[in-house]
Amino acid sequence: MRLFDSHTHVGRFHECYFTPADFINICKQVGITDVGVSSSTMADEDFDLVFSEMEELVSQNEVTIHPVLWISPKMLKTGAITRFIESGIKWCCVKVHNYQQRGQWGDSLSSLMLQATDLARQLNVPLLFHCGNEMCMPDDYEPLIAATPDVKFVIAHSRPVDQTIRILSKYPNAYADTAFTPTEDILKMFNAGVGNRVMWGTDIPVMSYYYNYLDGKKVEEFDYKTYCFNMLNKLRKKLTEEEYLALTYNNAYKLYNR
């Protein structure tokens, strides 16, 4: 069986660093065959390291990589974005994180956000928003989603779920992923009839920071397979086979495989 994790990271996360080799090993442990991955090193805007990490990932052939281009306002303002666009990497998504970048993006119709949207349109890929924190709620992005029906948008983390359901129900160009989303909220989205645009995502390897590192344990000892499969088994009992396959592979494959 194939498993598509649409929301993962490589690189630096606070005090921890996960190399491309670490990342691939985690994917193999879990049984992930396809993965949407961005570099959390972007939080430091270390563009050289971000580029190196992504290049290393796409050069291996053990896991099918769907590279996500996490961008910052600085990349657009300085022209650093050009290196990534012209790299030959087949980007499957553009990502913005207004909370992590302390509101630098402005509101959803700011000039910077419109530049990010134009980039997604240029690359013919979706634009993903981190959601669930101040300045980063699904409702905050509704004006852009409504004004740009020719671009697809992804609500990362599906939180809060009631806003996510409302946006997905209203706009056919809106999607969501389930990174750090409770199974109860995932089921709410399927029960609301928007499950055909919900994609499995975990935030691997971020949970090892929160559940191991902050408790004084080694991140290398985190059991990703048990963590993921506990959730997947709960969902498999509640969803139909068609819904389960849509969540764990088909929805992401249709959106990210160009």
Side-chain angles (χ1 to χ4, degrees), residues 33 42 63 65 72 76 93 106 109 118 138 144 189 239:
T33 56
M42 183 56 70
V63 178
I65 301 293
S72 70
L76 298 179
C93 183
L109 294 176
D118 285 342
L144 180 60
M189 290 188 282
L239 299 173

Side-chain angles (χ1 to χ4, degrees), residues 10-208:
V10 68
R12 188 177 296 122
F13 189 78
H14 297 293
E15 297 85 0
C16 300
Y17 186 77
F18 301 91
T19 69
D22 294 332
F23 176 81
I24 294 299
N25 285 334
I26 293 168
C27 289
K28 290 164 65 177
Q29 289 171 29
V30 177
I32 296 166
T33 56
D34 298 69
V35 63
V37 54
S38 64
S39 170
S40 49
T41 303
M42 183 56 70
D44 299 324
E45 297 190 309
D46 186 341
F47 303 142
D48 288 342
L49 183 53
V50 170
F51 189 81
S52 173
E53 292 162 350
M54 299 308 294
E55 283 274 276
E56 186 172 342
L57 283 181
V58 299
S59 69
Q60 58 78 48
N61 57 12
E62 296 183 276
V63 178
T64 300
I65 301 293
H66 299 262
V68 174
L69 179 55
W70 184 340
I71 64 173
S72 70
K74 182 178 178 180
M75 291 175 76
L76 298 179
K77 292 176 180 178
T78 64
I81 190 70
T82 302
R83 176 183 183 185
F84 291 86
I85 296 173
E86 296 179 352
S87 66
I89 294 174
K90 190 177 180 181
W91 303 104
C92 75
C93 183
V94 173
K95 173 180 178 176
V96 299
H97 198 312
N98 203 26
Y99 179 72
Q100 185 274 320
Q101 286 161 334
R102 299 173 180 82
Q104 293 178 53
W105 286 102
D107 64 36
S108 74
L109 294 176
S110 70
S111 61
L112 280 170
M113 281 300 304
L114 293 178
Q115 287 182 58
T117 306
D118 285 342
L119 176 61
R121 183 185 290 109
Q122 173 188 340
L123 296 175
N124 190 30
V125 300
L127 178 59
L128 178 147
F129 313 116
H130 168 87
C131 285
N133 301 97
E134 58 183 315
M135 304 175 292
C136 294
M137 295 296 184
D139 284 354
D140 294 331
Y141 294 109
E142 182 174 9
L144 180 60
I145 295 170
T148 322
D150 64 316
V151 174
K152 294 180 173 65
F153 298 93
V154 180
I155 297 171
H157 308 294
S158 299
R159 62 188 185 213
V161 71
D162 291 343
Q163 289 187 25
T164 302
I165 289 171
R166 189 186 69 79
I167 295 292
L168 266 63
S169 298
K170 190 173 181 180
Y171 303 101
N173 59 325
Y175 294 72
D177 74 43
T178 68
F180 267 114
T181 306
T183 54
E184 294 80 6
D185 286 352
I186 298 172
L187 294 172
K188 281 183 182 179
M189 290 188 282
F190 274 86
N191 290 336
V194 296
N196 63 322
R197 280 176 282 127
V198 177
M199 303 177 293
W200 173 251
T202 61
D203 235 346
I204 282 173
V206 169
M207 64 282 290
S208 65

